[in-house]
Amino acid sequence: MENSARPSTTQIILLATSSAFTAFFYSVYRKKSGSACRLKEKTKISIDQDLKNILSAAPGKCVPYVVIQGVVKSVKETLSSQFVDNCKGVIERLTLQEHIMVWNRTTHLWNNCEKKIHQRTNMVPFDLVSHDDSVDVAVRVLKPLDAAELDLEKVYETFHPTVQSFTDVIGHFISGERPKGIQETEEMLKVGATVTGVGELVLDRNIIKLQPPKQGMQYYISQVDYESLLQKQQSSVKIWKILTVVFGIATCATLFFILRKQYRHYKEQKRQKSIQEEFREMQSQLFREMNLEEDLISTNACIICLSCDRSCVFLECGHVCSCDECYQALPTPKKCPICRSAISRVVPLYSS
């Protein structure tokens, strides 16, 4: 029999945690789903001679959300790779990442961890032009580093292992951290690469510009085609949807167990009340049959024979309602006359 319907601390923590994760995953899912839907409903524009006319006819000389594909061309100067000869681009990102092994005291294993210790990004202005050299139209790309997805090609990568002395090894085992080395990476957006841009297209002073869109829409500068970019975003939406469903089910399951506990407690209280009313009715009937008045019966009298004093404590329910002779006369399996719970053992009650 459950003594309390109050949920346990573990259930409360589990319910609060799963609810918080469900809300977080659902908000991310809604945001990703909205971005994917807007990307799917985009306006696709080609870089050709009619592009300026299209923008001139648009309200405010602006198309809020478009997909445009072109070839990268630098406006003035280009960036040269620091490690690869004859490799030129318009965006260069240099990254230094430290790899260390950390001792896990719980699993007693060395785990590989990565820590970014330095990153630098260089950029020069660039345009997107048509694959057809005869088309003299260019689209200036603004703020490419603000893009939600900026694809850069990895042109150089090397790993510099850490040289350790015997003293260093002993010190690393004591501290629980063992450096492996430094990874050096160079990524670039090369000149001549085909890029798919998704954003706001405007005509400003006879210059066509691609810039981050307004109203919370995502800005993309990707080296994959539009179909691959859309498929990638839809796959991301599915992942967040699955996480939302999984944690939503966990939340509902926890809430179900808590409510079931409440319901069982309510049913048990109702059963106990019914038994007590039935007992009082039977006791009154017994008084009438024996021509006794309730005021003349001792409050400590056995509820079965109404003559001897109560001398037994029934466990595990804890009721004190019977004398020893009436307890011995109870049918097997013996149950408490008040709550009908099974009697596992009896403790004698001594009144002084």
Side-chain angles (χ1 to χ4, degrees):
M1 180 177 65
E2 297 185 32
N3 296 324
S4 176
R6 182 178 299 176
S8 64
T9 304
T10 303
Q11 289 176 331
I12 294 175
I13 294 175
L14 183 60
L15 181 61
T17 304
S18 59
S19 300
F21 274 108
T22 301
F24 170 73
F25 290 141
Y26 180 70
S27 65
V28 176
Y29 162 71
R30 286 291 301 272
K31 183 179 179 180
K32 294 283 186 181
S33 179
S35 299
C37 289
R38 285 190 289 266
L39 182 61
K40 189 175 182 180
E41 297 168 356
K42 55 58 188 144
T43 301
K44 193 170 184 179
I45 296 180
S46 302
I47 301 177
D48 53 26
Q49 299 295 354
D50 296 330
L51 184 55
K52 287 187 178 181
N53 297 331
I54 294 174
L55 291 175
S56 298
K61 297 182 179 181
C62 169
V63 181
Y65 207 49
V66 301
V67 174
I68 193 166
Q69 191 175 60
V71 178
V72 175
K73 180 182 178 181
S74 62
V75 176
K76 293 181 180 179
E77 57 184 7
T78 59
L79 300 173
S80 298
S81 171
Q82 299 185 18
F83 305 99
V84 182
D85 296 334
N86 300 322
C87 182
K88 297 184 180 297
V90 292
I91 299 177
E92 178 192 35
R93 179 174 292 163
L94 299 171
T95 305
L96 291 178
Q97 200 169 31
E98 183 182 15
H99 291 256
I100 59 175
M101 301 293 290
V102 178
W103 177 255
N104 191 315
R105 301 183 184 277
T106 303
T107 61
H108 299 285
L109 296 174
W110 289 94
N111 298 326
N112 187 28
C113 297
E114 300 175 356
K115 181 173 65 175
K116 191 178 295 183
I117 57 178
H118 178 72
Q119 187 176 76
R120 187 183 70 203
T121 303
N122 303 318
M123 187 190 71
V124 295
F126 67 95
D127 294 338
L128 295 181
V129 298
S130 174
H131 292 84
D132 188 355
D133 296 335
S134 62
V135 177
D136 189 19
V137 177
V139 177
R140 183 70 47 85
V141 179
L142 303 181
K143 299 181 180 180
L145 300 182
D146 293 345
E149 183 169 332
L150 177 62
D151 284 343
L152 301 178
E153 181 182 349
K154 188 179 293 183
V155 297
Y156 176 80
E157 183 179 25
T158 187
F159 185 78
H160 304 282
T162 301
V163 179
Q164 303 179 24
S165 64
F166 179 75
T167 306
D168 294 334
V169 173
I170 298 299
H172 296 153
F173 271 98
I174 295 175
S175 65
E177 290 189 3
R178 186 174 64 188
K180 295 176 59 180
I182 303 296
Q183 183 178 358
E184 190 174 11
T185 306
E186 183 184 27
E187 299 172 291
M188 295 189 73
L189 180 59
K190 293 182 179 179
V191 173
T194 300
V195 167
T196 302
V198 182
E200 183 180 71
L201 200 63
V202 297
L203 180 61
D204 183 17
R205 298 177 184 179
N206 208 34
I207 299 177
I208 303 174
K209 298 179 180 179
L210 180 68
Q211 60 188 18
K214 301 177 178 63
Q215 300 176 354
M217 293 182 285
Q218 296 293 328
Y219 187 36
Y220 300 99
I221 304 294
S222 178
Q223 295 193 55
V224 300
D225 56 19
Y226 164 70
E227 286 75 17
S228 300
L229 179 62
L230 179 60
Q231 185 177 5
K232 184 177 181 180
Q233 298 305 313
Q234 290 175 339
S235 299
S236 176
V237 170
K238 290 180 181 178
I239 293 174
W240 289 106
K241 184 178 181 180
I242 292 172
L243 289 173
T244 303
V245 171
V246 169
F247 279 87
I249 292 175
T251 302
C252 293
T254 306
L255 185 60
F256 169 76
F257 282 114
I258 292 176
L259 293 178
R260 187 181 68 167
K261 185 177 182 181
Q262 295 273 353
Y263 177 73
R264 286 183 172 180
H265 181 73
Y266 166 75
K267 293 288 287 185
E268 183 63 24
Q269 284 185 326
K270 190 175 180 180
R271 188 181 73 88
Q272 290 286 348
K273 186 177 180 180
S274 175
I275 291 175
Q276 290 175 2
E277 291 178 354
E278 181 183 353
F279 169 74
R280 283 194 291 268
E281 184 179 349
M282 293 177 61
Q283 193 175 46
S284 299
Q285 183 180 357
L286 183 60
F287 287 155
R288 289 193 297 270
E289 292 177 354
M290 298 177 66
N291 295 323
L292 296 175
E293 296 183 5
E294 294 186 23
D295 295 339
L296 299 178
I297 303 298
S298 172
T299 56
N300 194 40
C302 170
I303 65 171
I304 300 175
C305 65
L306 301 176
S307 56
C308 300
D309 290 338
R310 304 177 187 184
S311 59
C312 299
V313 181
F314 297 152
L315 300 178
E316 302 290 333
C317 66
H319 284 129
V320 181
C321 58
S322 170
C323 62
D324 182 67
E325 293 182 0
C326 291
Y327 162 71
Q328 298 295 338
L330 289 175
T332 305
K334 298 183 184 298
K335 294 184 179 181
C336 174
I338 295 179
C339 65
R340 304 293 192 271
S341 297
I343 301 174
S344 59
R345 60 194 181 101
V346 178
V347 177
L349 179 64
Y350 300 99
S351 299
S352 58

